Amino acid sequence: MKTVSLPATGNEFIIGKILCIGRNYVDHITELGNETPTAPVVFMKPASAVIYDGDQIRIPSFSRECHYEAELAVLIGTDGKDIPEAEALSHVAGYGVAIDMTLRDVQDSLKKKGLPWDMAKGFDTACPLSDFAPASAVADPQALTIRLQVNGTERQNGSTSLMINPVARIISHLSTIFTLEEGDIILTGTPAGVGRVISGDRLEAEVPGVARLSVSVA
Ligand code: MG
């Protein structure tokens, strides 16, 4: 069983679903040559994919191209279904940072065949996850910076103000499909600057003032 903690409150949550939004920043859509979606692109990762600060990413032998995608992570604290956008943020227990590790070659091949992305997004170690800050400590989730460094060099530096679908709308939309439950986590998409990692790389992801996370590639 994987858990996530809010050190400031001493609370710990058993991780339920990990719901992920794809193509939520225009500059990242452009860099991958994707079409801008009319509705949010939704996929999932299993909780078994979670690793923590200090852990190691293990690239599966069936991939030659593993990418990082640093993302704002949202922890659901209160169950809800069909949540109105105006009430959505009251369901949030905390905010953190995650890296949506993606086997880009596997994903591209699955996309071409019209097949689900699970292998590319849900493999063991595909979801490095930080500790979370309580929601009460984040005045506006659309006024945060997401940064990622590889071996000390900055590769991603984006603002959550540039999300196509802001956090409240994501929660409201997802809750029309899935009952959101305490311990569910939402990854809200990545800004531009994604790239490949290789064995020995050190990744540091940060939402300054909220959360940080350091992992390496085995
Ligand atoms: Mg992503």
Side-chain angles (χ1 to χ4, degrees), residues 24-218:
N24 201 24
Y25 290 80
V26 171
D27 51 1
H28 172 61
I29 294 170
T30 309
E31 74 180 346
L32 290 189
N34 283 318
E35 284 177 27
T36 303
T38 48
V41 174
V42 178
F43 61 93
M44 294 172 80
K45 289 178 187 270
S48 53
V50 169
I51 58 171
Y52 303 101
D53 187 56
D55 287 347
Q56 283 195 321
I57 295 159
R58 295 185 179 276
I59 302 172
S61 58
F62 54 84
S63 174
R64 305 234 169 277
E65 192 185 10
C66 182
H67 279 197
Y68 56 79
E69 299 184 357
E71 310 199 1
L72 175 68
V74 176
L75 172 65
I76 297 296
T78 311
D79 295 10
K81 172 77 181 164
D82 296 326
I83 302 168
E85 200 172 317
E87 293 169 21
L89 296 184
S90 70
H91 289 258
V92 177
Y95 295 93
V97 67
I99 311 176
D100 169 15
M101 298 306 300
T102 303
L103 306 176
R104 195 70 69 199
D105 52 350
V106 175
Q107 185 193 33
D108 285 347
S109 145
L110 292 168
K111 267 191 199 169
K112 275 188 201 130
K113 295 176 189 160
L115 293 172
W117 300 353
D118 304 48
M119 279 173 64
K121 293 284 198 177
F123 63 95
D124 286 353
T125 76
C127 192
L129 193 63
S130 71
D131 284 343
F132 279 61
S136 57
V138 176
D140 179 1
Q142 304 313 136
L144 300 171
T145 299
I146 302 173
R147 281 167 36 188
L148 183 129
Q149 294 188 338
V150 180
N151 303 325
T153 303
E154 188 166 272
R155 301 290 186 192
Q156 293 191 279
N157 187 338
S159 169
T160 58
S161 67
L162 300 175
M163 285 184 186
I164 296 169
N165 293 290
V167 173
R169 194 182 307 153
I170 290 170
I171 291 171
S172 177
H173 175 71
L174 289 176
S175 76
T176 66
I177 309 166
F178 311 98
T179 295
L180 296 183
E181 300 172 298
E182 180 185 294
D184 287 349
I185 288 171
I186 301 169
L187 306 194
T188 55
T190 195
V194 303
R196 183 174 181 233
V197 292
I198 56 170
S199 178
D201 281 348
R202 188 169 41 82
L203 279 68
E204 289 177 329
E206 184 183 18
V207 174
V210 175
R212 59 180 303 145
L213 170 68
S214 178
V215 290
S216 59
V217 182

